[in-house]
């Protein structure tokens, strides 16, 4: 499930997805550099805010309470 959660963010350029089989010191270093170069972190943050579900705890609580 972690892969799919990360993929949602990666698909909207809000994260960089590195699968465990591809994770190396170099791939992690490259990803971190890509995030901090320029204003990529601000762009990624803005993209993430477009796909987040707000009030998720309250929504789950209300679903449970209705049953």
């Amino acid at each position: 499930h972690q892969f799919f959660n990360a993929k949602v963010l990666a698909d909207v350029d809000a994260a960089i997805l590195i699968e465990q089989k591809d994770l190396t010191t170099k791939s992690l270093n490259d990803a971190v550099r890509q995030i901090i170069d320029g204003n990529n972190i601000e762009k990624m943050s803005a993209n993430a805010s477009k796909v987040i579900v707000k009030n998720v705890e309250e929504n789950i609580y209300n679903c449970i309470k209705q049953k």
Side-chain angles (χ1 to χ4, degrees):
H1 76 282
Q2 291 177 348
F3 170 83
F4 296 107
N5 291 336
K7 188 167 180 351
V8 168
L9 294 174
D11 286 348
V12 296
D13 294 325
I16 297 173
L17 176 61
I18 305 172
E19 292 191 55
Q20 186 168 351
K21 65 181 177 66
D22 300 323
L23 182 60
T24 64
T25 303
K26 182 178 180 344
S27 67
L28 181 58
N29 185 51
D30 290 348
V32 170
R33 287 186 181 277
Q34 185 178 345
I35 291 168
I36 61 176
D37 282 349
N39 67 344
N40 285 334
I41 198 163
E42 288 85 8
K43 290 177 188 175
M44 293 171 82
S45 176
N47 291 339
S49 69
K50 294 175 187 175
V51 296
I52 63 168
V53 177
K54 296 181 177 151
N55 302 320
V56 69
E57 298 90 356
E58 184 177 336
N59 292 342
I60 292 170
Y61 170 77
N62 287 333
C63 285
I64 293 169
K65 190 170 101 173
Q66 289 177 1
K67 293 187 183 225

